[in-house]
Amino acid sequence: MSTAPGRPLPGALPQPAPSGRATAAALTAYAAGSVGMGVWVTVPGLLLLYFLTNSLGVSPSLAGVALLLPRVLDTLVHPLLGSLSDRQARRSGHRLGMLRWGLLLAAAMVAVFTVPAGWQGLPAALWVGGWFAVGNLLFASFQVPYLTTPSDLRIGYHERTRVFMYRMLFLTLGLLGAGVAAPALVQGGGRAGYARMALLLGGAMVVCGLVAVSGVRRLTAECGFRVPRRQPHSLVGDTGTAWRDRDFRALVLSYLLTGTTTHLFLAGLPFYTDHILHDDTLTTVLMGCFLCPAVLAGPGWTALSRRIGKQRGLLFSQGVFIVGSLALSMGGRLGTATTAAVVVAMGCAFAGLQLFAFSMVPDAVAAAEARGTALAGAYTGVWTATDAAGTAVGPYLYSAVLTAGGFVSSADGRTAVQSHGALTALLGGFTLVPAALMAGALALQLRCRLESRSAR
């Protein structure tokens, strides 16, 4: 279907003359959706592996598979949803239809943590894995069009960083709220505690998602909407176009290792505090140390990027995370106060890792659009598939390390005695493995030359 130049598509969002700069109110409404996204990223990433191995009696190897397979499916779905989102945008002038499906995610999260009474081992793993797959699909339905929004807007290089600064601020608030509240809500509560936690945080996800939908509409009204070009395309073709972009490919591969590292950190933290620091209440404390600075660091990173650029900021953040991971390998000898200080520094680095990497995606789209090759939804689909892959590989890799070390699972809050080999694997998997992964991410990021082609 063709349209006359300047005439909006049927059902399209209002298109006044774009201002090129969004209001704080519109950005706040849009960014509210990241609170709900932060809950889904944090709660399964932080608690699901521990829930399976320490409450449901699932072995580390089986638990790793139960968490990995839904994410493998996820990586296949994201590019498809990106391509479908582009088609919807061309047809209707917005991406809200797919976005609204994601509001059902809260129900899936409740189901993940509400395992039928008496189920342990394989049946429990199948229940959790099945509902985790459903939740990931609903999350993708929200995440793909949501993260495509900055690429859709008619804004420039530094304004895209500003949009993502708001988004990262609220994402960190979601990570922080869930990272502190979830362990506190489940502590000593058994299975019922996990179910109650999921219900309470799921309600917050629904509210934030509804606000975000209104925020997307407001941003589009203020800044304008780039309707994707009408050109022959397919899922394979769209994905191939994004993958052949050398700078985007380097950014994607670097973020794959970055995401694997940060999600391994989340999955391993409860094991580290319980078995290395011998105080499981420190899970909440260290999550607060990790995420509270990230809330404050976002505006600082944004200001710094105007001086040194996003690429250098990202490389510096990766370096700080490497040093922090190596420092934590000292375990209890580091002392609680020093451990907290190291985690604070890693939290600041985490904010930079997220802000710079995500804000470079629309820069890659803009550069490709100048060459006449980009489809924003396709690029975002590849990016979110990479994000999903890192989310999967991190916990799975840590579960594989635990399995290799001979970690013993337990059920219903009972504590199993661990061997020296298991404790060594637990510590090395949480510290040395992330340091090596992030070093690889830094090396790949050095290949990206997007910065020199994007700055205005």
Side-chain angles (χ1 to χ4, degrees):
M1 180 181 67
S2 61
T3 57
R7 179 174 298 175
L9 296 169
L13 299 176
Q15 292 287 309
S19 66
R21 183 174 175 83
T23 63
L27 286 173
T28 299
Y30 165 73
S34 292
V35 175
M37 293 176 67
V39 172
W40 178 253
V41 169
T42 302
V43 175
L46 178 64
L47 294 180
L48 207 47
L49 180 60
Y50 193 79
F51 177 54
L52 285 165
T53 59
N54 284 50
S55 292
L56 301 180
V58 180
S59 68
S61 57
L62 179 57
V65 172
L67 300 183
L68 178 65
L69 292 182
R71 289 297 192 184
V72 171
L73 175 63
D74 211 21
T75 60
L76 302 176
V77 166
H78 278 256
L80 173 61
L81 293 180
S83 185
L84 292 176
S85 179
D86 279 330
R87 294 182 186 180
Q88 181 187 84
R90 279 193 299 272
R91 183 174 62 251
S92 61
H94 61 78
R95 304 177 191 265
L96 296 178
M98 188 179 295
L99 195 67
R100 293 185 181 111
W101 276 102
L103 299 177
L104 297 174
L105 174 60
M109 191 174 84
V110 173
V112 165
F113 287 99
T114 309
V115 180
W119 285 29
Q120 294 183 7
L122 179 60
L126 291 173
W127 174 277
V128 171
W131 280 110
F132 192 42
V134 173
N136 287 333
L137 177 60
L138 292 171
F139 180 69
S141 297
F142 186 91
Q143 184 186 36
V144 170
Y146 180 78
L147 292 183
T148 307
T149 298
S151 299
D152 289 333
L153 301 177
R154 298 181 180 276
I155 55 178
Y157 173 81
H158 289 301
E159 183 66 6
R160 288 192 288 269
T161 307
R162 179 170 171 259
V163 173
F164 271 100
M165 186 272 288
Y166 271 80
R167 186 251 168 186
M168 287 310 306
L169 173 62
F170 278 78
L171 175 63
T172 307
L173 289 173
L175 295 172
L176 175 61
V180 172
L185 288 171
V186 303
Q187 193 168 9
R191 296 191 186 195
Y194 281 95
R196 182 173 60 252
M197 172 274 300
L199 183 62
L200 291 174
L201 296 182
M205 292 169 64
V206 173
V207 173
C208 292
L210 290 171
V211 175
V213 171
S214 69
V216 171
R217 295 181 65 92
R218 292 181 65 177
L219 280 180
T220 303
E222 291 178 2
C223 299
F225 184 86
R226 301 175 190 267
V227 178
R229 287 187 178 90
R230 292 182 175 277
Q231 60 189 56
H233 70 95
S234 65
L235 171 61
V236 174
D238 291 350
T239 303
T241 297
W243 188 249
R244 285 190 296 272
D245 186 327
R246 182 180 59 187
D247 294 324
F248 182 67
R249 184 171 66 246
L251 181 65
V252 163
L253 291 175
S254 176
Y255 189 72
L256 173 61
L257 293 182
T258 297
T260 299
T261 304
T262 55
H263 285 92
L264 189 156
F265 179 89
L266 288 176
L269 183 61
F271 294 88
Y272 182 76
T273 58
D274 191 5
H275 296 279
I276 302 299
L277 302 183
H278 306 292
D279 186 354
D280 59 0
T281 63
L282 287 176
T283 300
T284 299
V285 174
L286 293 183
M287 277 302 294
C289 291
F290 186 68
L291 294 171
C292 282
V295 175
L296 304 175
W301 283 124
T302 302
L304 184 64
S305 73
R306 291 181 176 270
R307 297 177 61 87
I308 68 173
K310 303 175 191 179
Q311 171 79 342
R312 290 179 180 176
L314 181 52
L315 293 171
F316 180 73
S317 300
Q318 290 170 330
V320 171
F321 207 95
I322 292 170
V323 174
S325 296
L326 292 175
L328 291 179
S329 65
M330 295 180 64
R333 293 174 295 168
L334 203 58
T336 302
T338 305
T339 298
V342 170
V343 173
V344 165
M346 295 175 71
C348 292
F350 172 74
L353 293 172
Q354 299 295 306
L355 172 63
F356 294 127
F358 274 83
S359 63
M360 290 176 77
V361 175
D363 293 341
V365 172
E369 282 183 341
R371 301 191 300 267
T373 60
L375 290 168
Y379 270 55
T380 305
V382 171
W383 180 259
T384 57
T386 303
D387 191 23
T391 303
V393 175
Y396 178 77
L397 183 58
Y398 192 66
S399 72
V401 172
L402 292 179
T403 300
F407 184 86
V408 179
S409 298
S410 56
D412 298 325
R414 294 190 298 271
T415 301
V417 177
Q418 305 297 336
S419 67
H420 176 73
L423 294 176
T424 300
L426 188 153
L427 177 61
F430 182 68
T431 58
L432 301 181
V433 172
L437 289 170
M438 193 63 80
L442 190 152
L444 286 166
Q445 189 61 39
L446 286 170
R447 300 182 181 181
C448 181
R449 298 291 183 267
L450 180 64
E451 183 92 310
S452 61
R453 303 183 179 113
S454 299
R456 294 292 182 266

PDB file of all heavy atoms in Angstrom, residues 158-181:
ATOM      1  N   HIS A 158      23.519  13.164  19.994  1.00  0.00           N
ATOM      2  CA  HIS A 158      23.548  13.391  21.437  1.00  0.00           C
ATOM      3  C   HIS A 158      22.159  13.245  22.065  1.00  0.00           C
ATOM      4  O   HIS A 158      22.051  12.830  23.228  1.00  0.00           O
ATOM      5  CB  HIS A 158      24.119  14.778  21.741  1.00  0.00           C
ATOM      6  CG  HIS A 158      25.588  14.889  21.474  1.00  0.00           C
ATOM      7  ND1 HIS A 158      26.520  14.091  22.105  1.00  0.00           N
ATOM      8  CD2 HIS A 158      26.287  15.692  20.625  1.00  0.00           C
ATOM      9  CE1 HIS A 158      27.737  14.398  21.662  1.00  0.00           C
ATOM     10  NE2 HIS A 158      27.625  15.364  20.772  1.00  0.00           N
ATOM     11  N   GLU A 159      21.102  13.554  21.329  1.00  0.00           N
ATOM     12  CA  GLU A 159      19.754  13.384  21.873  1.00  0.00           C
ATOM     13  C   GLU A 159      19.433  11.910  22.067  1.00  0.00           C
ATOM     14  O   GLU A 159      18.720  11.540  23.003  1.00  0.00           O
ATOM     15  CB  GLU A 159      18.723  14.045  20.956  1.00  0.00           C
ATOM     16  CG  GLU A 159      17.277  13.987  21.467  1.00  0.00           C
ATOM     17  CD  GLU A 159      17.055  14.801  22.737  1.00  0.00           C
ATOM     18  OE1 GLU A 159      17.980  15.512  23.179  1.00  0.00           O
ATOM     19  OE2 GLU A 159      15.947  14.719  23.298  1.00  0.00           O
ATOM     20  N   ARG A 160      19.985  11.046  21.210  1.00  0.00           N
ATOM     21  CA  ARG A 160      19.779   9.608  21.406  1.00  0.00           C
ATOM     22  C   ARG A 160      20.414   9.151  22.716  1.00  0.00           C
ATOM     23  O   ARG A 160      19.864   8.311  23.426  1.00  0.00           O
ATOM     24  CB  ARG A 160      20.349   8.826  20.211  1.00  0.00           C
ATOM     25  CG  ARG A 160      19.541   8.973  18.934  1.00  0.00           C
ATOM     26  CD  ARG A 160      19.958   7.965  17.889  1.00  0.00           C
ATOM     27  NE  ARG A 160      21.248   8.255  17.297  1.00  0.00           N
ATOM     28  CZ  ARG A 160      21.444   8.991  16.216  1.00  0.00           C
ATOM     29  NH1 ARG A 160      20.396   9.550  15.609  1.00  0.00           N
ATOM     30  NH2 ARG A 160      22.651   9.182  15.721  1.00  0.00           N
ATOM     31  N   THR A 161      21.599   9.705  23.032  1.00  0.00           N
ATOM     32  CA  THR A 161      22.207   9.379  24.322  1.00  0.00           C
ATOM     33  C   THR A 161      21.317   9.850  25.462  1.00  0.00           C
ATOM     34  O   THR A 161      21.187   9.165  26.489  1.00  0.00           O
ATOM     35  CB  THR A 161      23.589  10.042  24.438  1.00  0.00           C
ATOM     36  OG1 THR A 161      24.384   9.691  23.303  1.00  0.00           O
ATOM     37  CG2 THR A 161      24.306   9.591  25.706  1.00  0.00           C
ATOM     38  N   ARG A 162      20.711  11.027  25.312  1.00  0.00           N
ATOM     39  CA  ARG A 162      19.825  11.563  26.360  1.00  0.00           C
ATOM     40  C   ARG A 162      18.620  10.647  26.567  1.00  0.00           C
ATOM     41  O   ARG A 162      18.229  10.379  27.709  1.00  0.00           O
ATOM     42  CB  ARG A 162      19.374  12.970  25.982  1.00  0.00           C
ATOM     43  CG  ARG A 162      18.429  13.626  26.982  1.00  0.00           C
ATOM     44  CD  ARG A 162      18.229  15.097  26.650  1.00  0.00           C
ATOM     45  NE  ARG A 162      17.178  15.685  27.472  1.00  0.00           N
ATOM     46  CZ  ARG A 162      15.935  15.904  27.072  1.00  0.00           C
ATOM     47  NH1 ARG A 162      15.571  15.586  25.816  1.00  0.00           N
ATOM     48  NH2 ARG A 162      15.038  16.420  27.888  1.00  0.00           N
ATOM     49  N   VAL A 163      18.026  10.171  25.486  1.00  0.00           N
ATOM     50  CA  VAL A 163      16.886   9.256  25.602  1.00  0.00           C
ATOM     51  C   VAL A 163      17.300   8.005  26.369  1.00  0.00           C
ATOM     52  O   VAL A 163      16.597   7.549  27.286  1.00  0.00           O
ATOM     53  CB  VAL A 163      16.333   8.879  24.209  1.00  0.00           C
ATOM     54  CG1 VAL A 163      15.264   7.792  24.337  1.00  0.00           C
ATOM     55  CG2 VAL A 163      15.752  10.103  23.512  1.00  0.00           C
ATOM     56  N   PHE A 164      18.458   7.446  26.032  1.00  0.00           N
ATOM     57  CA  PHE A 164      18.897   6.225  26.695  1.00  0.00           C
ATOM     58  C   PHE A 164      19.359   6.489  28.121  1.00  0.00           C
ATOM     59  O   PHE A 164      19.340   5.584  28.954  1.00  0.00           O
ATOM     60  CB  PHE A 164      19.992   5.540  25.879  1.00  0.00           C
ATOM     61  CG  PHE A 164      19.449   4.573  24.867  1.00  0.00           C
ATOM     62  CD1 PHE A 164      19.330   4.943  23.535  1.00  0.00           C
ATOM     63  CD2 PHE A 164      19.019   3.320  25.237  1.00  0.00           C
ATOM     64  CE1 PHE A 164      18.816   4.063  22.603  1.00  0.00           C
ATOM     65  CE2 PHE A 164      18.502   2.431  24.313  1.00  0.00           C
ATOM     66  CZ  PHE A 164      18.399   2.805  22.983  1.00  0.00           C
ATOM     67  N   MET A 165      19.785   7.710  28.409  1.00  0.00           N
ATOM     68  CA  MET A 165      20.134   8.030  29.794  1.00  0.00           C
ATOM     69  C   MET A 165      18.897   7.923  30.681  1.00  0.00           C
ATOM     70  O   MET A 165      18.939   7.338  31.764  1.00  0.00           O
ATOM     71  CB  MET A 165      20.727   9.434  29.880  1.00  0.00           C
ATOM     72  CG  MET A 165      21.252   9.810  31.266  1.00  0.00           C
ATOM     73  SD  MET A 165      20.007  10.540  32.364  1.00  0.00           S
ATOM     74  CE  MET A 165      19.832  12.151  31.599  1.00  0.00           C
ATOM     75  N   TYR A 166      17.750   8.452  30.212  1.00  0.00           N
ATOM     76  CA  TYR A 166      16.500   8.305  30.965  1.00  0.00           C
ATOM     77  C   TYR A 166      16.141   6.830  31.079  1.00  0.00           C
ATOM     78  O   TYR A 166      15.759   6.346  32.157  1.00  0.00           O
ATOM     79  CB  TYR A 166      15.369   9.054  30.263  1.00  0.00           C
ATOM     80  CG  TYR A 166      15.222  10.493  30.672  1.00  0.00           C
ATOM     81  CD1 TYR A 166      16.053  11.473  30.131  1.00  0.00           C
ATOM     82  CD2 TYR A 166      14.265  10.882  31.593  1.00  0.00           C
ATOM     83  CE1 TYR A 166      15.919  12.803  30.502  1.00  0.00           C
ATOM     84  CE2 TYR A 166      14.116  12.207  31.968  1.00  0.00           C
ATOM     85  CZ  TYR A 166      14.947  13.171  31.421  1.00  0.00           C
ATOM     86  OH  TYR A 166      14.822  14.479  31.788  1.00  0.00           O
ATOM     87  N   ARG A 167      16.255   6.125  29.968  1.00  0.00           N
ATOM     88  CA  ARG A 167      15.889   4.715  29.966  1.00  0.00           C
ATOM     89  C   ARG A 167      16.765   3.919  30.928  1.00  0.00           C
ATOM     90  O   ARG A 167      16.282   3.091  31.699  1.00  0.00           O
ATOM     91  CB  ARG A 167      16.020   4.171  28.542  1.00  0.00           C
ATOM     92  CG  ARG A 167      15.523   2.737  28.390  1.00  0.00           C
ATOM     93  CD  ARG A 167      16.651   1.774  28.169  1.00  0.00           C
ATOM     94  NE  ARG A 167      16.197   0.391  28.299  1.00  0.00           N
ATOM     95  CZ  ARG A 167      16.995  -0.643  28.259  1.00  0.00           C
ATOM     96  NH1 ARG A 167      18.290  -0.492  28.095  1.00  0.00           N
ATOM     97  NH2 ARG A 167      16.526  -1.864  28.412  1.00  0.00           N
ATOM     98  N   MET A 168      18.076   4.198  30.919  1.00  0.00           N
ATOM     99  CA  MET A 168      18.979   3.474  31.803  1.00  0.00           C
ATOM    100  C   MET A 168      18.750   3.838  33.267  1.00  0.00           C
ATOM    101  O   MET A 168      18.902   2.991  34.154  1.00  0.00           O
ATOM    102  CB  MET A 168      20.433   3.747  31.420  1.00  0.00           C
ATOM    103  CG  MET A 168      20.883   3.073  30.136  1.00  0.00           C
ATOM    104  SD  MET A 168      20.474   1.307  30.085  1.00  0.00           S
ATOM    105  CE  MET A 168      21.211   0.750  31.610  1.00  0.00           C
ATOM    106  N   LEU A 169      18.387   5.098  33.534  1.00  0.00           N
ATOM    107  CA  LEU A 169      18.100   5.494  34.904  1.00  0.00           C
ATOM    108  C   LEU A 169      16.943   4.679  35.463  1.00  0.00           C
ATOM    109  O   LEU A 169      17.020   4.123  36.568  1.00  0.00           O
ATOM    110  CB  LEU A 169      17.778   6.991  34.952  1.00  0.00           C
ATOM    111  CG  LEU A 169      17.302   7.537  36.302  1.00  0.00           C
ATOM    112  CD1 LEU A 169      18.375   7.361  37.364  1.00  0.00           C
ATOM    113  CD2 LEU A 169      16.907   9.011  36.181  1.00  0.00           C
ATOM    114  N   PHE A 170      15.860   4.566  34.690  1.00  0.00           N
ATOM    115  CA  PHE A 170      14.691   3.831  35.172  1.00  0.00           C
ATOM    116  C   PHE A 170      14.926   2.325  35.144  1.00  0.00           C
ATOM    117  O   PHE A 170      14.401   1.600  36.001  1.00  0.00           O
ATOM    118  CB  PHE A 170      13.458   4.205  34.342  1.00  0.00           C
ATOM    119  CG  PHE A 170      12.810   5.485  34.779  1.00  0.00           C
ATOM    120  CD1 PHE A 170      13.356   6.706  34.422  1.00  0.00           C
ATOM    121  CD2 PHE A 170      11.682   5.480  35.571  1.00  0.00           C
ATOM    122  CE1 PHE A 170      12.781   7.899  34.826  1.00  0.00           C
ATOM    123  CE2 PHE A 170      11.090   6.660  35.999  1.00  0.00           C
ATOM    124  CZ  PHE A 170      11.647   7.878  35.630  1.00  0.00           C
ATOM    125  N   LEU A 171      15.730   1.845  34.182  1.00  0.00           N
ATOM    126  CA  LEU A 171      16.070   0.429  34.189  1.00  0.00           C
ATOM    127  C   LEU A 171      16.837   0.092  35.459  1.00  0.00           C
ATOM    128  O   LEU A 171      16.579  -0.932  36.110  1.00  0.00           O
ATOM    129  CB  LEU A 171      16.919   0.087  32.964  1.00  0.00           C
ATOM    130  CG  LEU A 171      17.456  -1.348  32.913  1.00  0.00           C
ATOM    131  CD1 LEU A 171      16.327  -2.365  32.839  1.00  0.00           C
ATOM    132  CD2 LEU A 171      18.425  -1.528  31.753  1.00  0.00           C
ATOM    133  N   THR A 172      17.765   0.954  35.823  1.00  0.00           N
ATOM    134  CA  THR A 172      18.542   0.714  37.036  1.00  0.00           C
ATOM    135  C   THR A 172      17.660   0.764  38.271  1.00  0.00           C
ATOM    136  O   THR A 172      17.860  -0.005  39.221  1.00  0.00           O
ATOM    137  CB  THR A 172      19.680   1.738  37.149  1.00  0.00           C
ATOM    138  OG1 THR A 172      20.440   1.736  35.940  1.00  0.00           O
ATOM    139  CG2 THR A 172      20.594   1.396  38.309  1.00  0.00           C
ATOM    140  N   LEU A 173      16.680   1.667  38.271  1.00  0.00           N
ATOM    141  CA  LEU A 173      15.730   1.693  39.383  1.00  0.00           C
ATOM    142  C   LEU A 173      14.966   0.370  39.475  1.00  0.00           C
ATOM    143  O   LEU A 173      14.730  -0.152  40.573  1.00  0.00           O
ATOM    144  CB  LEU A 173      14.752   2.857  39.228  1.00  0.00           C
ATOM    145  CG  LEU A 173      15.325   4.260  39.452  1.00  0.00           C
ATOM    146  CD1 LEU A 173      14.277   5.322  39.098  1.00  0.00           C
ATOM    147  CD2 LEU A 173      15.784   4.436  40.897  1.00  0.00           C
ATOM    148  N   GLY A 174      14.583  -0.162  38.318  1.00  0.00           N
ATOM    149  CA  GLY A 174      13.915  -1.458  38.321  1.00  0.00           C
ATOM    150  C   GLY A 174      14.827  -2.571  38.798  1.00  0.00           C
ATOM    151  O   GLY A 174      14.427  -3.441  39.580  1.00  0.00           O
ATOM    152  N   LEU A 175      16.082  -2.558  38.304  1.00  0.00           N
ATOM    153  CA  LEU A 175      17.052  -3.547  38.760  1.00  0.00           C
ATOM    154  C   LEU A 175      17.287  -3.440  40.255  1.00  0.00           C
ATOM    155  O   LEU A 175      17.352  -4.446  40.972  1.00  0.00           O
ATOM    156  CB  LEU A 175      18.379  -3.348  38.015  1.00  0.00           C
ATOM    157  CG  LEU A 175      18.391  -3.587  36.501  1.00  0.00           C
ATOM    158  CD1 LEU A 175      19.728  -3.142  35.918  1.00  0.00           C
ATOM    159  CD2 LEU A 175      18.133  -5.045  36.168  1.00  0.00           C
ATOM    160  N   LEU A 176      17.415  -2.187  40.717  1.00  0.00           N
ATOM    161  CA  LEU A 176      17.676  -1.962  42.142  1.00  0.00           C
ATOM    162  C   LEU A 176      16.494  -2.399  42.997  1.00  0.00           C
ATOM    163  O   LEU A 176      16.655  -3.125  43.986  1.00  0.00           O
ATOM    164  CB  LEU A 176      17.974  -0.483  42.377  1.00  0.00           C
ATOM    165  CG  LEU A 176      18.158  -0.041  43.832  1.00  0.00           C
ATOM    166  CD1 LEU A 176      19.336  -0.765  44.461  1.00  0.00           C
ATOM    167  CD2 LEU A 176      18.353   1.475  43.903  1.00  0.00           C
ATOM    168  N   GLY A 177      15.297  -1.953  42.624  1.00  0.00           N
ATOM    169  CA  GLY A 177      14.116  -2.316  43.402  1.00  0.00           C
ATOM    170  C   GLY A 177      13.928  -3.813  43.479  1.00  0.00           C
ATOM    171  O   GLY A 177      13.698  -4.384  44.555  1.00  0.00           O
ATOM    172  N   ALA A 178      14.052  -4.481  42.304  1.00  0.00           N
ATOM    173  CA  ALA A 178      13.879  -5.932  42.283  1.00  0.00           C
ATOM    174  C   ALA A 178      15.044  -6.634  42.961  1.00  0.00           C
ATOM    175  O   ALA A 178      14.861  -7.624  43.678  1.00  0.00           O
ATOM    176  CB  ALA A 178      13.742  -6.416  40.842  1.00  0.00           C
ATOM    177  N   GLY A 179      16.280  -6.125  42.738  1.00  0.00           N
ATOM    178  CA  GLY A 179      17.448  -6.766  43.302  1.00  0.00           C
ATOM    179  C   GLY A 179      17.496  -6.711  44.815  1.00  0.00           C
ATOM    180  O   GLY A 179      18.047  -7.609  45.458  1.00  0.00           O
ATOM    181  N   VAL A 180      16.918  -5.653  45.386  1.00  0.00           N
ATOM    182  CA  VAL A 180      16.872  -5.538  46.843  1.00  0.00           C
ATOM    183  C   VAL A 180      15.616  -6.202  47.410  1.00  0.00           C
ATOM    184  O   VAL A 180      15.675  -6.920  48.408  1.00  0.00           O
ATOM    185  CB  VAL A 180      16.942  -4.057  47.261  1.00  0.00           C
ATOM    186  CG1 VAL A 180      16.698  -3.905  48.761  1.00  0.00           C
ATOM    187  CG2 VAL A 180      18.299  -3.461  46.882  1.00  0.00           C
ATOM    188  N   ALA A 181      14.473  -5.954  46.761  1.00  0.00           N
ATOM    189  CA  ALA A 181      13.208  -6.453  47.298  1.00  0.00           C
ATOM    190  C   ALA A 181      13.059  -7.964  47.143  1.00  0.00           C
ATOM    191  O   ALA A 181      12.583  -8.638  48.066  1.00  0.00           O
ATOM    192  CB  ALA A 181      12.039  -5.744  46.611  1.00  0.00           C
TER     193      ALA A 181
END
